[in-house]
Amino acid sequence: MLCAYSGHAFMGAIIKLIDVWKIYRVGSVEFPALRGVNLEIEKGEILAVMGPSGSGKSTLLNMMGLLDKPSKGVVLIDGVDASKLPEHKIADLRNMKIGFVFQHFNLINRLTVYENIELPLVPRGLPSDQRKKLVIKALMLAGGDESWLSKKPSQLSGGQQQRVAIARAIVGNPEIILADEPTGNLDRASAKVVMDTFLKLNKHGLTIVIVTHDPEIANCTSKIVLIRDGKIVDIKDSVFDECILNKV
C-alpha cells in the first residue's frame, strides 16, 4: 500500500490495538469509553480520527500514546506489548518512540522556547551541545525560526506556539506523532501552516495520528477513522481536494 501524501511504502503496523476496552467506574456504575477497538496503523501512515464529542477519540489517542492502560485488550507499539512492561520501561518506550502535540500547546511559560523543546531530551543524559543541535534542527523542521529560541511562549502567536510544540514532539526523533486537536485553537492561516508541517514531517517518514473535529484537516491525511460511542464504525479514504491546504 502506498501513501498518497508521504510518497513511501508502508512497512507494517507500528501501532496495533486488539479488542481494546476502556471502562471507567464511578462507584458501582461502569462507563465504557472504548468498546472492543481493533485498529492497525502502518509505519509511515498519516491518518485522522474523527467523531462527536465524547465518542472516545482522546481515550483512543491516550491508548496509542501509552498514557493510559486498557481495561481489556492489547496495545502493541512497534510489536511491543506495553502491558507486559514495568512502568519505567513504558515511560522509556513513550519517550523514545512517541511525540505528543496538544490543542492547548502545553508549553511551560516560565521556560524559554529553547528550554521547552529541550525537555524530552533531558532524561536521555545527552551533552548540552548535542541537545542544542537537536533543538535547532527540530525547530527548523517544524517551520520555526531560531529567533524564537530565547523568547517565552507567551511572546509568540498561537500558530508559532504550536510549531514550537511540534518541535518539542519531534526533537527526540520519535517514529510516531500523536496530535489531539492540534489546530483547534488556531485561526485558518495558522491551521494551514501546522497541517502543512505535519505533511512535511510525514514525508520524512513519521507516522502521524491526528484527532480532529475539522473535516478540512482530516482530509489532508491518507484515511479517516470514524469513532462513535467507543467503537470504530468506519475507516474511509480521505478526499485530498477537501484538505484545508486546497481551500482559499
Side-chain angles (χ1 to χ4, degrees):
M1 181 179 179
L2 192 67
C3 176
Y5 313 114
S6 66
H8 52 79
F10 293 144
M11 299 171 288
I14 191 168
I15 301 172
K16 188 171 184 178
L17 282 71
I18 305 170
D19 193 27
V20 169
W21 290 72
K22 183 61 183 181
I23 300 170
Y24 295 101
R25 292 178 174 84
V26 179
S28 60
V29 181
E30 294 186 345
F31 299 92
L34 295 177
R35 305 166 183 255
V37 169
N38 292 284
L39 181 64
E40 288 190 29
I41 299 171
E42 298 179 58
K43 290 185 180 181
E45 194 166 12
I46 179 169
L47 63 82
V49 177
M50 298 191 75
S53 296
S55 59
K57 299 186 303 297
S58 293
T59 303
L60 179 61
L61 207 70
N62 287 344
M63 293 296 159
M64 295 180 191
L66 309 180
L67 295 174
D68 201 355
K69 292 183 177 180
S71 304
K72 186 176 75 170
V74 176
V75 177
L76 301 172
I77 302 297
D78 212 7
V80 176
D81 182 354
S83 68
K84 296 181 178 179
L85 300 176
E87 286 296 332
H88 72 281
K89 290 291 186 181
I90 293 174
D92 288 344
L93 182 62
R94 193 165 52 233
N95 180 264
M96 298 299 294
K97 289 276 186 181
I98 305 169
F100 297 90
V101 180
F102 303 96
Q103 178 177 353
H104 299 289
F105 319 135
N106 287 18
L107 300 173
I108 301 171
N109 279 316
R110 70 175 182 273
L111 301 181
T112 64
V113 166
Y114 179 92
E115 291 166 336
N116 270 278
I117 298 172
E118 183 188 33
L119 276 174
L121 300 177
V122 173
R124 301 190 187 186
L126 300 173
S128 59
D129 59 337
Q130 187 176 349
R131 294 201 305 271
K132 183 176 181 179
K133 289 178 182 177
L134 291 171
V135 167
I136 293 171
K137 179 183 177 182
L139 185 58
M140 296 301 101
L141 277 174
D145 191 285
E146 283 191 58
S147 65
W148 303 354
L149 289 171
S150 60
K151 294 181 178 181
K152 298 294 178 64
S154 58
Q155 295 175 286
L156 303 178
S157 70
Q160 290 170 336
Q161 288 187 61
Q162 193 59 294
R163 277 174 272 171
V164 171
I166 292 170
R168 180 186 57 191
I170 65 175
V171 71
N173 196 31
E175 295 181 51
I176 302 164
I177 297 292
L178 302 178
D180 196 353
E181 295 285 358
T183 61
N185 280 347
L186 303 180
D187 60 54
R188 191 174 181 82
S190 297
K192 284 185 174 184
V193 171
V194 167
M195 201 60 223
D196 185 56
T197 300
F198 281 129
L199 291 178
K200 288 176 179 174
L201 291 171
N202 180 240
K203 287 180 180 177
H204 280 82
L206 274 73
T207 304
I208 302 176
V209 181
I210 301 171
V211 164
T212 183
H213 282 96
D214 188 343
E216 291 185 352
I217 295 298
N219 278 307
C220 296
T221 69
S222 57
K223 66 184 179 185
I224 302 170
V225 176
L226 299 176
I227 186 169
R228 186 177 295 118
D229 296 327
K231 296 181 179 179
I232 292 176
V233 294
D234 195 13
I235 299 177
K236 63 181 185 178
D237 291 336
S238 61
V239 181
F240 195 63
D241 286 347
E242 296 298 317
C243 170
I244 192 172
L245 298 177
N246 295 322
K247 299 292 183 176
V248 176

